[in-house]
């Protein structure tokens, strides 16, 4: 059972200027808190509209208008398909992610959407040498040159797509992923694949710290359990990109 924040605490947070993404994260596990938050916002808006308008001093108005950021958002997305390989999707293999097979149709639709709109598609896949030290801690998997390291056939890369190999959790670590994003002038990652609480979380966190906007379509991600997915998605929803790339000159 999830402990509720309650109406009074939600009002305190709202009046303190808590960002919307943080409030969404805090109330994600409680439908009652979500309903209370929506009602509080309506009541606060009604109260604000009922108050008499106050004209700000001229100097304050000029300063606020001068510093107001232009309303902008990311304009150069890329679609990332993470670790949707045979060794993770084939039943019975040591590191199988059973839920990943369930999201294949949605990932396939998203890939088609991206290609139709000329959004770059990047496959990032685990890939290990036969003697990789990673096998001291994990079962043997995704060995270069074996079919286990290949992308699941139903969503295999097409000419024009990009394929990046990685050895560890994050797509950025020891790979060509970061330089490729720079080459594509990307400012947003639409992240799909598995496993949500491991590779997807590590990649999303690193991307946010590098200034990328990260979007994870819920129907295009798969973790080891529904609970792990929810916790990861709620956590990431509370994080904003650091010094967003779309605001950089």
């Amino acid at each position: 059972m999830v402990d509720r924040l309650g109406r009074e605490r939600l009002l305190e947070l709202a009046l303190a200027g808590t960002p919307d993404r943080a409030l969404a994260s805090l109330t994600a596990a409680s439908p009652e808190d979500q309903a209370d938050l929506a009602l509080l916002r309506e009541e606060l808006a009604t109260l604000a509209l009922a108050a008499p308008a106050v004209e700000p001093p001229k100097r304050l108005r000029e300063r606020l208008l001068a510093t107001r950021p232009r309303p902008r958002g990311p304009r150069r997305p890329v679609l990332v398909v993470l670790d949707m390989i045979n060794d993770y999707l084939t039943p019975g293999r040591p590191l199988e992610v059973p839920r990943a097979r369930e999201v294949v149709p949605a990932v396939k639709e998203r890939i088609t959407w991206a290609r139709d709109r000329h959004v770059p598609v990047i496959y990032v896949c685990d890939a290990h040498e036969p003697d990789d030290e990673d096998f001291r801690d994990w079962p043997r998997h995704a060995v270069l040159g074996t079919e286990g390291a290949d992308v699941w056939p139903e969503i295999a890369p097409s000419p024009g797509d990009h394929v990046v190999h990685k050895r560890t959790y994050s797509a950025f670590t020891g790979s060509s992923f970061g330089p490729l994003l720079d080459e594509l002038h990307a400012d947003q990652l639409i992240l799909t694949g598995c496993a949500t609480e491991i590779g997807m979380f590590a990649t999303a966190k690193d991307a946010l710290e590098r200034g990328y906007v990260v979007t994870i379509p819920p129907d295009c991600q798969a973790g080891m359990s529904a609970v792990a997915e929810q916790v990861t998605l709620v956590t990431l929803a509370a994080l904003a990109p650091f010094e967003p790339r779309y605001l950089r000159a």
Side-chain angles (χ1 to χ4, degrees):
M1 184 173 180
V2 177
D3 291 335
R4 292 190 56 192
L5 290 175
R7 182 181 174 88
E8 290 186 7
R9 179 57 179 156
L10 287 170
L11 180 59
E12 291 176 357
L13 292 169
L15 292 177
T18 305
D20 287 345
R21 63 179 178 277
L23 288 173
S25 176
L26 290 168
T27 60
S30 171
E32 294 86 355
D33 278 342
Q34 291 177 5
D36 279 347
L37 180 60
L39 184 59
L40 279 171
R41 282 172 169 158
E42 291 181 7
E43 292 173 349
L44 290 171
T46 300
L47 181 62
L49 291 172
V54 176
E55 182 70 22
K58 182 179 179 181
R59 289 183 62 185
L60 175 61
R61 177 181 174 83
E62 291 175 351
R63 189 176 71 182
L64 291 174
L65 291 175
T67 59
R68 182 178 58 181
R70 291 178 294 172
R72 296 176 59 190
R75 294 173 295 173
R76 296 180 296 277
V78 298
L79 177 66
V80 179
V81 182
L82 186 78
D83 284 340
M84 294 293 280
I85 61 176
N86 291 329
D87 269 351
Y88 294 158
L89 273 70
T90 301
R93 298 200 178 174
L95 295 180
E96 176 195 359
V97 183
R99 297 171 65 83
R101 292 191 294 276
E102 300 174 13
V103 304
V104 166
V107 173
K108 185 176 182 179
E109 288 184 9
R110 188 71 59 162
I111 292 170
T112 300
W113 170 89
R115 290 172 180 159
D116 288 346
R117 289 160 179 77
H118 305 290
V119 172
V121 179
I122 306 174
Y123 291 81
V124 181
C125 306
D126 259 359
H128 303 274
E129 296 292 341
D131 59 349
D132 197 317
E133 293 185 1
D134 193 52
F135 298 148
R136 295 181 304 178
D137 301 306
W138 293 96
R140 194 176 182 83
H141 64 283
V143 176
L144 278 166
T146 69
E147 62 85 29
D150 293 340
V151 176
W152 191 249
E154 192 173 343
I155 51 173
S158 291
D161 295 337
H162 305 271
V163 179
V164 172
H165 292 150
K166 66 180 179 67
R167 288 184 53 209
T168 187
Y169 312 118
S170 173
F172 288 91
T173 302
S175 78
S176 61
F177 186 56
L180 175 59
L181 294 178
D182 289 339
E183 180 183 328
L184 296 171
H185 305 289
D187 56 15
Q188 178 185 16
L189 272 59
I190 303 172
L191 185 56
T192 70
C194 71
T196 308
E197 68 275 35
I198 304 176
M200 293 188 72
F201 176 78
T203 298
K205 171 186 170 295
D206 283 357
L208 289 164
E209 291 182 347
R210 287 165 169 79
Y212 295 99
V213 173
V214 177
T215 302
I216 302 179
D219 62 343
C220 292
Q221 54 80 36
M224 300 305 294
S225 71
V227 171
E229 292 175 4
Q230 183 179 22
V231 170
T232 302
L233 294 178
V234 167
T235 300
L236 290 172
L239 304 180
F242 176 71
E243 296 181 352
R245 288 178 176 256
Y246 66 84
L247 291 176
R248 301 178 189 179

